[in-house]
Amino acid sequence: MSGSGVTTARRRLIERARGRVPATTARAAALLGAVLSLASTFLAWSYGSAFPGNLTIYGYPGGAQVYVLVLALVAIVLLLLEVSPLRRVLAPGGAGGAVRVLASGVFLVTAFTVLAIGVELGGLINVEWGGWAALLAAAVFVVAGRLLPDDRPAVWSYRLPDWVEFLIIALVLGLALAAFVEALAIPEWEIFLCFLVALGGALTAAWRLGLVSWISEVGTRHRGVTVTAAFLVAAAFPFTQGSDNHWLNVMVNVGIFATTAIGLNIVVGLAGLLDLGYVAFLGVGAYVGALLSGAAASTIGWNPPFAVTVVIGAVITAIVGVLIGTPTLRVRGDYLAIVTLGFGEIFRITVNNLDGSTGPQVTNGPNGIPGIPDLKFLGIDFGQSHTVFGMNLGYFANYFFLELVLMAFVILVFSRMNNSRLGRAWLAIREDEVAAQAAGINTFRLKLLAFALGATLAGMAGTIQAHAISSITPDSYQFLNSAFLVAAVVLGGMGTVTGALLGSVVLLLLPEKFRFFQDNKLLIFGVTLVLVMRFRPEGVIANKRRKAEFHEEEISEELGREARAEGAR
């Protein structure tokens, strides 16, 4: 039996079970499971205190127990809401789907914690009776949750006063920053994984309730306020780290990667050109920044102001993009991917050979350019910590703020291009190049423009990267980095800024948090890629056009159901 057949049979089995169990009984069972799961967090789950969170204390939830408590508490509130007059306002489509998601989250966190206690402490004998009671309660909760009646599509159509919606936008972004900082502050990978499961469950439950769609609608209605608030919240991140440079350094690298990914999104997401050598443009910009930095290893004695360096890096990278794109864009599809892959390798080999021995002395070959000095821009020494609003910030905060400014510029360029006649022409080329050419679009010229513009943005990011990492070598720009850039765009959602940002954050932050799996990083990355492409082929944050392409049958079925319901009325 195929995978779709198994899924259909399981769905029918669940539907028959729901038909035999009254909705009131299912809600009572789910409420019992949620209450028991919440109560189990006040029990000891482990005999050994070495497990992260110290789950040996009665009456004091710790570690993963906190996430079980929160999910169970929210589920209890939703189940009580089902029988209250507020249901029509807060859960117009019903809360069954949200409770099922929360129950799954409770079970996953509980089962993983019990299994991890057994593995890390030397056997399941180290699981105290409270852990088994918690697992049993979670099993009851998840089974009862599957028997809850299906909820209808939830639509929140509330329009609040503008100042209230502004406060909601600020509150949501503030909570996002708090959750992000909390995730970075978790040192143990076990608890961090449970945090991700709990956070994913909470967000999915909010989506099933219609809350996420409504918040997205509010943000779209006040796009300018949302974008401004998002950058203000991002600028507040360094103040949560103080003088600690570790996560600031990581986030600077994430910002450079994300800025480059947004530039690639013009090439891949808008114009539909699969570029597997895009990291080479980042390398061109980085080498320009390093050679003009005044470093002792630089072979160019000129050290212009950084603003001039950025312009020079952008121009040179654009020229390289045009020179490479002119012959390569004559081909399409898989052939274009292979040619761009070759270009990426040509760049790496070329800078390796410009060492004064096998070629001119320009890049110092495999040794690269070390000792790149910190920026001195607008009278600010980026290598020094500064006190802002009475708080001492680590020196990487300087690069973070600079990268934030560049990212704002890149997002502005991408948004303007996406909403322009040029952007619509790129989309037409992506959908059907032959049809676009028949409609009078000069496809080659527009593809070359997309290639050059994407290269320009990557080159600008590279000039900052040279100073931020203080040393560049050819090995920093291998094919694997291009593959990660493409994966960030595809996983996050092609053609969207938020998708590229999310993909970049996930691909760079998760390996940093899961250093325990460093040797199997590529294996985990591959499994994640397969799962996302199987269950969310349009990307995590997809635009409406891509979502419609991948879910055409589901949309048709939904429209058919709505038409039949309208006819019955």
Side-chain angles (χ1 to χ4, degrees), residues 11-134:
R11 186 183 299 115
R12 290 175 178 172
L13 181 63
I14 293 173
E15 289 176 354
R16 283 199 294 268
R18 288 176 187 163
R20 295 174 182 175
V21 178
T24 305
T25 303
R27 290 193 189 98
L31 182 61
L32 176 63
V35 170
L36 291 177
S37 294
L38 186 147
S40 70
T41 62
F42 292 89
L43 303 175
W45 289 10
S46 172
Y47 285 110
S49 60
F51 188 80
N54 191 7
L55 306 183
T56 63
I57 304 174
Y58 282 86
Y60 187 80
Q65 290 177 327
V66 175
Y67 307 130
V68 173
L69 185 151
V70 172
L71 293 179
L73 182 60
V74 174
I76 292 171
V77 172
L78 291 178
L79 288 168
L80 295 177
L81 182 66
E82 280 275 88
V83 295
S84 74
L86 293 176
R87 173 188 171 178
R88 294 180 179 273
V89 178
L90 300 178
V99 172
R100 278 197 293 274
V101 171
L102 295 172
S104 299
V106 167
F107 181 79
L108 288 174
V109 172
T110 305
F112 170 77
T113 303
V114 170
L115 181 62
I117 290 173
V119 171
E120 296 191 14
L121 299 186
L124 293 176
I125 190 67
N126 292 286
V127 180
E128 199 171 344
W129 72 272
W132 298 115

Side-chain angles (χ1 to χ4, degrees), residues 214-304:
W214 179 71
I215 291 175
S216 176
E217 183 180 322
V218 170
T220 303
R221 192 157 51 235
H222 307 288
R223 186 182 300 274
V225 174
T226 304
V227 173
T228 303
F231 274 99
L232 290 177
V233 169
F237 172 74
F239 295 93
T240 66
Q241 304 300 305
S243 58
D244 186 5
N245 275 308
H246 174 67
W247 288 115
L248 284 173
N249 182 15
V250 173
M251 290 308 298
V252 168
N253 292 326
V254 170
I256 293 170
F257 191 86
T259 303
T260 309
I262 295 172
L264 178 61
N265 216 353
I266 294 177
V267 180
V268 177
L270 297 185
L273 307 173
L274 182 56
D275 188 347
L276 296 181
Y278 188 75
V279 75
F281 296 126
L282 179 68
V284 171
Y287 268 96
V288 170
L291 291 171
L292 300 180
S293 65
S298 173
T299 57
I300 298 178
W302 185 36
N303 180 21

Side-chain angles (χ1 to χ4, degrees), residues 121-385:
L121 299 186
L124 293 176
I125 190 67
N126 292 286
V127 180
E128 199 171 344
W129 72 272
W132 298 115
L135 187 59
L136 178 61
V140 171
F141 187 19
V142 77
V143 171
R146 301 298 294 178
L147 299 177
L148 290 171
D150 270 330
D151 47 354
R152 301 178 304 279
V155 178
W156 286 31
S157 56
Y158 311 123
R159 180 67 185 263
L160 302 176
D162 287 348
W163 68 270
V164 176
E165 294 187 344
F166 294 165
L167 289 178
I168 291 173
I169 293 172
L171 177 62
V172 170
L173 292 174
L175 290 175
L177 177 62
F180 185 72
V181 173
E182 173 65 21
L184 295 182
I186 299 174
E188 303 89 355
W189 71 269
E190 302 94 337
I191 298 180
F192 177 70
L193 183 60
C194 292
F195 173 83
L196 290 183
V197 172
L199 181 62
L203 291 176
T204 306
W207 172 73
R208 295 297 296 267
L209 288 172
L211 182 60
V212 172
S213 299
W214 179 71
I215 291 175
S216 176
E217 183 180 322
V218 170
T220 303
R221 192 157 51 235
H222 307 288
R223 186 182 300 274
V225 174
T226 304
V227 173
T228 303
F231 274 99
L232 290 177
V233 169
F237 172 74
F239 295 93
T240 66
Q241 304 300 305
S243 58
D244 186 5
N245 275 308
H246 174 67
W247 288 115
L248 284 173
N249 182 15
V250 173
M251 290 308 298
V252 168
N253 292 326
V254 170
I256 293 170
F257 191 86
T259 303
T260 309
I262 295 172
L264 178 61
N265 216 353
I266 294 177
V267 180
V268 177
L270 297 185
L273 307 173
L274 182 56
D275 188 347
L276 296 181
Y278 188 75
V279 75
F281 296 126
L282 179 68
V284 171
Y287 268 96
V288 170
L291 291 171
L292 300 180
S293 65
S298 173
T299 57
I300 298 178
W302 185 36
N303 180 21
F306 179 69
V308 177
T309 301
V310 172
V311 173
I312 294 175
V315 171
I316 292 178
T317 313
I319 293 173
V320 172
V322 171
L323 292 176
I324 298 299
T326 299
T328 58
L329 292 177
R330 303 286 181 181
V331 297
R332 305 177 187 172
D334 300 337
Y335 302 102
L336 176 62
I338 294 173
V339 171
T340 54
L341 172 61
F343 161 61
E345 289 302 298
I346 289 172
F347 167 77
R348 185 179 61 83
I349 294 172
T350 299
V351 294
N352 247 323
N353 290 333
L354 297 180
D355 57 355
S357 176
T358 55
Q361 174 63 285
V362 179
T363 64
N364 294 326
N367 296 324
I369 303 177
I372 301 173
D374 288 300
L375 276 177
K376 292 181 175 60
F377 183 52
L378 298 178
I380 301 174
D381 186 350
F382 280 54
Q384 300 293 325
S385 59

Side-chain angles (χ1 to χ4, degrees), residues 12 44 124 138 279 297 400 486 509 514 526:
R12 290 175 178 172
L124 293 176
V279 75
F400 181 86
V486 174
L509 277 186
F514 290 118

